[in-house]
Amino acid sequence: DAGVTQSPTHLIKTRGQHVTLRCSPISGHKSVSWYQQVLGQGPQFIFQYYEKEERGRGNFPDRFSARQFPNYSSELNVNALLLGDSALYLCASSLLGSNNEQFFGPGTRLTVL
Amino acid sequence: AQSVTQPDIHITVSEGASLELRCNYSYGATPYLFWYVQSPGQGLQLLLKYFSGDTLVQGIKGFEAEFKRSQSSFNLRKPSVHWSDAAEYFCAVGGTGGGNKLTFGTGTQLKVEL
């Protein structure tokens, strides 16, 4: 079975641009969470979606938004990119919406110049 | 608010030696605890998890961890380290109040000397 997949693998943008990152969960998983991992740090929680509804939001500005589609895949959008948005963005899927083991994808490496 | 502290940023051990990585958590109720491993440029792989029950949990690749409520700790151990264990290790805590949010520590970078 395929694991969590993310696209693209790498991305280079300039300040002020917009970016969309995509995630496909493990088949049968209905929850997707997004994390930001800055170099040298642990992942920081951004969003969780379950059954297409937002279930949790971390301490990130409104420039960050996400959504989940009927097939449970998800997009993370970041507007007005800043240099500090450069990071590895990780997607994790789980079977249910709470108290569940999460399976992580390989991540999207975003570089903002 | 939940938090995780991994006091050791870097650890170096010789191949074949034993390993213990420290993790302390802060959470108001019984937490869900996890250890993940990350190789360079890769995502996170779950090594083991504690939800309830036996406080000594076994994971993949010969790792184990012990939940000690009195010390708010969840240290990761391995009796004999292999060169392929070199990676970054993250401890994480999840809430029991709903949602899947994980709070991670800052990680411990493990180097294995041959």
Side-chain angles (χ1 to χ4, degrees), chain A residues 58-94:
Chain A
N59 188 25
F60 281 81
D62 291 344
R63 299 184 296 107
F64 288 76
S65 63
R67 56 179 175 168
Q68 187 177 33
F69 299 98
N71 66 353
Y72 302 110
S73 66
S74 177
E75 282 183 354
L76 175 70
N77 296 284
V78 187
N79 291 324
L81 284 167
L82 303 174
L83 296 179
D85 295 330
S86 295
L88 180 68
Y89 288 84
L90 295 164
C91 173
S93 78
S94 59

Side-chain angles (χ1 to χ4, degrees), chain B:
Chain B
Q2 56 198 55
S3 66
V4 175
T5 301
Q6 294 181 248
D8 304 305
I9 299 174
H10 295 97
I11 283 186
T12 300
V13 299
S14 299
E15 189 175 38
S18 63
L19 172 71
E20 182 169 28
L21 303 183
R22 296 183 291 166
C23 171
N24 292 96
Y25 68 90
S26 174
Y27 188 71
T30 300
Y32 290 172
L33 294 161
F34 305 83
W35 275 99
Y36 285 89
V37 61
Q38 186 177 39
S39 298
Q42 301 295 312
L44 300 170
Q45 181 183 23
L46 180 68
L47 287 175
L48 47 78
K49 61 184 183 288
Y50 172 77
F51 279 13
S52 65
D54 192 348
T55 56
L56 183 64
V57 294
Q58 302 297 321
I60 62 171
K61 304 184 179 185
F63 286 93
E64 67 177 27
E66 187 171 12
F67 170 59
K68 293 185 177 180
R69 184 190 303 274
S70 62
Q71 298 177 20
S72 298
S73 69
F74 189 58
N75 294 349
L76 182 71
R77 301 194 293 250
K78 186 170 185 178
S80 178
V81 170
H82 188 263
W83 65 266
S84 60
D85 293 325
E88 188 146 28
Y89 292 79
F90 292 95
C91 180
V93 62
T96 57
N100 280 334
K101 174 186 175 182
L102 291 177
T103 299
F104 285 85
T106 52
T108 297
Q109 185 70 47
L110 174 65
K111 180 179 176 182
V112 180
E113 291 183 333
L114 300 177

Side-chain angles (χ1 to χ4, degrees), chain A residues 28-71:
Chain A
H29 283 196
K30 298 181 178 180
S31 176
V32 169
S33 298
W34 287 95
Y35 291 81
Q36 180 196 64
Q37 186 179 19
V38 173
L39 198 61
Q41 299 292 319
Q44 297 287 318
F45 173 76
I46 309 175
F47 285 110
Q48 183 202 349
Y49 276 77
Y50 176 64
E51 290 280 18
K52 301 178 287 296
E53 298 288 329
E54 183 182 299
R55 273 294 192 94
R57 174 186 285 255
N59 188 25
F60 281 81
D62 291 344
R63 299 184 296 107
F64 288 76
S65 63
R67 56 179 175 168
Q68 187 177 33
F69 299 98
N71 66 353

